[in-house]
Amino acid sequence: LDPATNNVTVSWAKPANTTPEKYRVSYSSNGGSSWSTAVETTNLNHTYSNLAPGTYSVRVRAYFGGNGTWGNYTTVNSVTIANPTNPVQNLNATLIDGIKGDVNVTWAAPSAGSVSKYSISYSSDNGTTWSTAVETTSLSYSYNGLTTGTYIFKVKPYYSHAWGNEATSNSVTVINATGASISNLAYKYVKNTV
């Protein structure tokens, strides 16, 4: 099992005193209730790539060309692929313009695993509610025109078949004056007596 890529390699030895013409390999993710479409190979190993998280059993049988028959299946011990857990690293929110409400969020890729995209969202109430998530393939995202408030941001990576753990940034405070109007405007007339 390669946890970074969700690849599972199964290997076996040929039966004693005979050389099969080929082998048939398949896997089950539901305890053997059903099996994947069998793959035939002349090798003594086979690799399944990018499997979804779950517990898998793999079975192998040999084909004896001399008499045209398949041998019995042999099932290997089960292997479990866990959901990815590695969050992004070095998540940081930088206030670019506190008046206009411009914030840049940056991060580094997780320490292990192959990530295809990231999800980012923000909260202005200390994590009680979050904005609709935005997805990106880059390691940064910029928000413009945020309204007045204190914001935190969360980012989570997407692996082959599942989302990883999220990370939460530092907070930044926006004082957005864009479009603000002046209130209680008044004038005073002073008579010139000269």
Side-chain angles (χ1 to χ4, degrees), residues 69-83:
T69 61
W70 286 96
N72 294 327
Y73 273 111
T74 297
T75 303
V76 301
N77 293 332
S78 62
V79 61
T80 298
I81 298 175
N83 282 305

Side-chain angles (χ1 to χ4, degrees), residues 1-173:
L1 169 64
D2 181 354
T5 58
N6 286 13
N7 293 351
V8 172
T9 297
V10 58
S11 58
W12 57 90
K14 67 180 182 178
N17 303 319
T18 184
T19 300
E21 183 177 310
K22 58 185 176 180
Y23 301 89
R24 182 172 285 175
V25 190
S26 57
Y27 69 82
S28 173
S29 60
N30 56 15
S33 296
S34 60
W35 294 86
S36 66
T37 301
V39 174
E40 294 187 358
T41 178
T42 57
N43 299 322
L44 294 175
N45 60 75
H46 182 72
T47 297
Y48 288 103
S49 302
N50 294 321
L51 294 175
T55 299
Y56 293 84
S57 299
V58 181
R59 65 182 185 178
V60 182
R61 70 192 305 191
Y63 180 76
F64 302 95
N67 55 19
T69 61
W70 286 96
N72 294 327
Y73 273 111
T74 297
T75 303
V76 301
N77 293 332
S78 62
V79 61
T80 298
I81 298 175
N83 282 305
T85 59
N86 295 323
V88 299
Q89 303 181 98
N90 305 324
L91 177 59
N92 184 64
T94 302
L95 187 63
I96 304 301
D97 190 324
I99 302 300
K100 294 182 178 179
D102 297 343
V103 177
N104 189 46
V105 185
T106 60
W107 59 90
S111 57
S114 179
V115 177
S116 59
K117 60 183 177 180
Y118 300 89
S119 169
I120 178 171
S121 55
Y122 64 80
S123 173
S124 59
D125 55 14
N126 200 33
T128 301
T129 59
W130 293 88
S131 66
T132 301
V134 176
E135 295 182 1
T136 179
T137 57
S138 69
L139 296 174
S140 65
Y141 189 82
S142 293
Y143 287 97
N144 302 110
L146 294 177
T147 57
T148 299
T150 298
Y151 292 81
I152 56 175
F153 302 82
K154 67 179 180 181
V155 176
K156 58 183 178 180
Y158 187 77
Y159 291 86
S160 300
H161 296 277
W163 289 101
N165 287 346
E166 63 190 33
T168 303
S169 75
N170 55 295
S171 63
V172 294
T173 298

